[in-house]
Amino acid sequence: MEKIICACGHENPFGTKLCEKCGRPLTEEEKNQKVLDMRYDGTAIRSKTRNKSIVDKIWNFFSSVKVGVSLIFINLVAASIGTIFPQEFFVNVATEAEREIYYEETYGSLGKLYYALGLSDVYSSWWFQILVGMLGISIIIASLDRGIPLHRSLKNQRVKRHESFMKRQRVVAEGSITEGDSSKTLDLVEEQMKKLKYNVRREGNAILAERGRFARYGPYINHVGLIVFLLGVMLRLLPGFYVDESMWVREGDIRAIPGMEGYFIENEKFILELHDNEKTEAQIQQGVNAVAKNYQTNVKLYKQPDDALPGQTDNLELVKEYSIRVNHPLQHEGYSLYQMDFRLNELKGMNFTLTNKETGEELGDVKVDLTNPQKEYVIDEQTKVDLLGYYPDFSGFKNGEPQTATSNPNNPAFIFKMTTPEKPDGEVSFVAIKQTIEPNGDNAYKMTFKSVETRNMSGLTVHKDKTIPILFVGGFIFMLGVAIGSYWNHRRIWVEQLQDGTIRLAAHANKNWFNIKKDLTAITEYAHLPQFIDQVEKENDEEGQKEKEGDNTL
Amino acid sequence: MSLIDLSGNLLFVAFIAYLVGTLLFGGAIKSNKPDGAAKRADNWGKLAIIVTIIGFLAQLGYFITRWIHSGHAPVSNMFEFTTAFGMFIIGAFILIYYMYRLTALGLVALPIALLIIGYAAMFPRDVTPLVPSLQSYWLTIHVITAALGQAILAISAVAGLIYLLKAVDPKVKSRGRFWLEAVLYFIVLVVGFIVVTVIFRSMGYEAVFNYVDKNGAEQEIIYNMPAVFGMNDYVLLTDDVMEPIAEMPPVINAKKLTVVFWSFIAGSIIYLLIRLITRRRILAILHPLVPKINFNLLDEIGYRSVLIGFPVFSLGALVFAMIWAQEAWGRFWGWDPKEVWALITWLFYAAFLHLRLSKGWEGKKSAWLALIGFAIILFNLIVVNLVIAGLHSYA
Ligand code: HEM
């Protein structure tokens, strides 16, 4: 592409707006501006110079700040949609069909629509992920598009700038000094600028004082941080980087830990402690009886010996004992086990006595382990009880058959066959909580319910996330970048002394004009410079409150 | 005096100081009459900022004594968090004041903080014990930093509001005039909420209901205002109080809806009275009160406070929040509504900053954006806390 040759003789790449060397405006548009657009120091930005191939077009699309801001807004709206009704993972039902019913029953037809449109699981939907992906691409391309030329122009700055550049800066001053010897003026300026911690360069009768240039890199650094973070999140999709499983362990049980090969965990005890405070006003209003103080599971972590087969539980080696509490997970080899949930007083066993209905004579006790019931319970040679049927979560009859809703012993029911010396053929009885059915008429014996044994159950989640360090680095770079970009700013002051001793000054700050004006006031006083003016402010005052329609392209 | 009483008194002192401060800032409005008014105004301004600082220190005293008393940072319930937010807004105002020395900011920042603290005081004020997941110092760090960030961001809305109060002409019909009046009307509704709550509280109004919640369990609930809307399958247990007019389905908390209803009524009455008595829009009343100001400076303050607040907010509401969530639940992000709205706030202010890169988004438009940003912050504080969240309770 053809070069643009400036009046000063410097060759600029196509698309340059301000000569890289002397700062003269090169385009008609810039020549007609009262104040130059200094955002990228007028360098040639790729997206503004090429628009031929399809690659160029895609590049230009993503590098546009307008598109970037639109993408941010679209992501924002999409994220907010997911908070209208609770997302699926907060809804405690097991199957898809139940979920559909849940949304409709709880939230009416809007809920049904919400579910049907897939909005009940927005954040894992393909279109949401594509939106986030497009935001990421936009950040990368926009940063490359502008960052590289900006870096080049900041690095190659010349001290002396052309009059047409100086006069078109936002803050300018021109005129003779107000007092003293004009041959000393530049020395005074240099001295004072150094005091104000500016980097001062002097070439003949021109000075460029600069401070905080690194602040210009802030946005680029923070964008890098964001990209690192997003990449970290994407890495979780690869196997081995991320484990997220949950498990239930009952007190006294040893169970294999899902996702953590070769390890077992024993739940020794689950502890729930409550605050013993007086009920507060808020508690009374919300009908909350007690506030939990601690959820804790005392566990033992075991490891299989190296030569063991999967699932083999003998010869387990104890690795450590720990009390898992909320905010205090058990950590081992990159894995963490968190206290997530609990269930109190789950039925563990039921004790019955085989009793003669008429005399009340007791023939013996039967203890049914609800998680591991036996087929028969022998009391003596002629007396035994067979368990013909076991329904851990009895939910009623269907076609005369007892049904169970789940395999958890929430509402156990049994079909017993009682064999006694008196009734050697056995009597059948259906026994559920508060309900006994004797299908073959009146029995002579019954299973009298004596007591239950309960135990608690802990819900734990197992996590491994190798991406955490990457996310941490990303977050750190991001924070570093925003801090640099926000709390520091880039200020430049160009001063030139003309042949006749008069001063021409121009100043630019990428933001925070308030501060640079303070600096300018200081050197103006110290070196007796002519008073500076803010051309934008002047213009605003002249125009009053009229809305300005600037060009929105960037 | 016990520590907790001392704490309450300090908060009261702070409230009074902010009230006096507001009046003093009003006195600091410069007039153009050549009779030494400008100098007097300067003195008023100095006095105003001193009183504000005294109030801030008193409130800091409230915060610290309450912390010592309860053993945890007082940011764990609606009253505590909202009060702290008001305090941080004052703090952020003082910070920005010393950067730009613009007294007009105080004229808007202080009343907003007063309203926020007044709003907070309508919630139960006693010390609540902490549930396990909140017992983490990361939570304390996270909440305080996030609230501080929001408070600094809020200053941009303060600057924006002043900008618009001055820039929107109350005599000319425009969309700007309509929406700005709507913002002012909303502020009056908040006053309405405080007024009805105080009235019914001083009457000791109480109506007890039984109702069936969405899990089918029977619950009891106490209304402190006449129940306009009844909970699902309600049974009124108190004698001689109003029967609800309409029954709500279980997903709607009819008690809160009732509060909204009464606040709306009271606020609207106040608004209408103001309009009838003064025969002017609130905008027209306030427009001449706002001193002559340099629009560029206000715009700069609005932008600058977003620049200062954005990193603080990012650190508190995202980085520290993720660290805490990682510790408590083993996942740094769970798409919980509160988290999502923090993300939305962050995205919004990112968009704000990027829009400033294009020409034409300074001044008025930027001022409107700052108001919208503050609306999102308030939405997260009020609606998300009271309406959307609380759907899953293991927190
Ligand atoms: C959530 C995502 C993003 C965040 C948090 C973010 C953050 C930032 C911040 C804090 C700044 C500095 C603003 C200022 O100092 O006024 C900035 C500047 C910038 N951002 Fe982003 N950004 C995001 C997305 C994007 C996207 C999608 C684009 C694509 C067009 C983009 C392009 C830019 C550009 C061109 C700048 C100006 C750089 C300069 O001043 O040299 N950003 N960004």
Side-chain angles (χ1 to χ4, degrees), chain B residues 5 15 26 49 96 118 122 124 129 169 184 191 220 240 269-270 358:
Chain B
D5 292 336
F15 192 84
I49 192 74
I96 302 283
M122 299 303 110
D169 187 344
L184 297 169
V191 176
E220 191 184 283
D240 295 331
I269 291 174
I270 298 173
S358 346

Side-chain angles (χ1 to χ4, degrees), chain B residues 167-189:
Chain B
V168 175
D169 187 344
K171 294 192 200 72
V172 183
K173 188 171 165 85
S174 65
R175 268 195 307 175
R177 187 179 76 168
F178 174 80
W179 285 110
L180 195 56
E181 188 69 12
V183 169
L184 297 169
Y185 173 61
F186 171 78
I187 295 175
V188 177
L189 289 187

Side-chain angles (χ1 to χ4, degrees), chain A residues 39-40 62-65 68 72 135 138-139 142 146 150 216 219-220 222-223 226 478 482 485 511, chain B residues 303 307 310 346-347 350 353-354 357:
Chain A
R39 183 137 283 284
Y40 301 102
F62 281 110
S63 66
S64 147
V65 170
I72 294 178
L135 188 65
S138 175
I139 294 174
R146 288 134 206 274
L150 178 69
R216 293 296 279 273
Y220 301 95
N222 92 44
H223 288 164
L226 288 175
F478 169 76
V482 256
K511 55 183 60 139
Chain B
Y303 180 33
L307 271 177
F310 188 74
W346 182 75
L347 285 173
L353 288 174
H354 287 88
L357 301 174

Side-chain angles (χ1 to χ4, degrees), chain B residues 53-332:
Chain B
I53 291 174
I54 292 173
F56 180 73
L57 291 177
Q59 198 174 357
L60 208 58
Y62 141 82
F63 193 77
I64 293 167
T65 44
R66 193 177 170 101
W67 191 329
I68 296 170
H69 169 79
S70 68
H72 60 257
V75 286
S76 67
N77 60 32
M78 206 53 194
F79 163 72
E80 290 178 342
F81 181 81
T82 313
T83 313
F85 182 48
M87 176 173 83
F88 287 135
I89 288 186
I90 297 285
F93 158 68
I94 295 173
L95 174 81
I96 302 283
Y97 176 85
Y98 277 107
M99 290 168 85
Y100 292 96
R101 309 259 170 186
L102 188 66
T103 43
L105 283 182
L107 199 57
V108 171
L110 262 62
I112 287 182
L114 277 170
L115 271 182
I116 288 177
I117 297 170
Y119 173 81
M122 299 303 110
F123 289 88
R125 260 173 284 180
D126 37 23
V127 172
T128 33
L130 289 187
V131 297
S133 62
L134 301 186
Q135 298 162 11
S136 158
Y137 57 87
W138 276 113
L139 174 73
T140 308
I141 296 172
H142 149 61
V143 175
I144 290 180
T145 322
L148 187 63
Q150 289 178 334
I152 302 172
L153 293 171
I155 298 298
S156 76
V158 169
L161 189 57
I162 300 175
Y163 191 107
L164 293 170
L165 284 176
K166 207 65 201 172
V168 175
D169 187 344
K171 294 192 200 72
V172 183
K173 188 171 165 85
S174 65
R175 268 195 307 175
R177 187 179 76 168
F178 174 80
W179 285 110
L180 195 56
E181 188 69 12
V183 169
L184 297 169
Y185 173 61
F186 171 78
I187 295 175
V188 177
L189 289 187
V190 177
V191 176
F193 167 75
I194 296 174
V195 169
V196 278
T197 313
V198 169
I199 289 178
F200 286 120
R201 188 184 282 172
S202 60
M203 286 165 53
Y205 191 94
E206 210 176 86
V208 184
F209 290 88
N210 271 346
Y211 72 99
V212 177
D213 73 7
K214 69 170 189 282
N215 302 323
E218 189 150 305
Q219 302 278 6
E220 191 184 283
I221 193 163
I222 304 169
Y223 281 53
N224 302 102
M225 293 185 192
V228 177
F229 303 101
M231 305 288 288
N232 180 41
D233 271 343
Y234 67 87
V235 180
L236 180 56
L237 303 178
T238 315
D239 297 329
D240 295 331
V241 292
M242 189 175 125
E243 274 276 349
I245 295 168
E247 182 183 324
M248 291 288 120
V251 279
I252 294 180
N253 185 330
K255 177 184 167 180
K256 285 172 186 163
L257 195 62
T258 300
V259 174
V260 171
F261 175 84
W262 284 114
S263 312
F264 190 77
I265 296 284
S268 301
I269 291 174
I270 298 173
Y271 179 79
L272 281 176
L273 282 178
I274 295 174
R275 291 287 300 255
L276 282 175
I277 293 169
T278 64
R279 310 218 146 259
R280 283 193 290 175
R281 286 164 210 282
I282 301 189
L283 174 59
I285 304 170
L286 296 180
H287 182 76
L289 286 183
V290 176
K292 275 208 162 164
I293 1 163
N294 180 333
F295 280 104
N296 270 326
L297 183 62
L298 268 182
D299 185 54
E300 163 112 19
I301 293 175
Y303 180 33
R304 195 77 196 290
S305 35
V306 174
L307 271 177
I308 299 174
F310 188 74
V312 180
F313 181 78
S314 307
L315 190 68
L318 296 174
V319 177
F320 289 159
M322 287 186 201
I323 296 177
W324 168 53
Q326 181 69 28
E327 287 231 330
W329 293 290
R331 48 141 190 80
F332 61 91

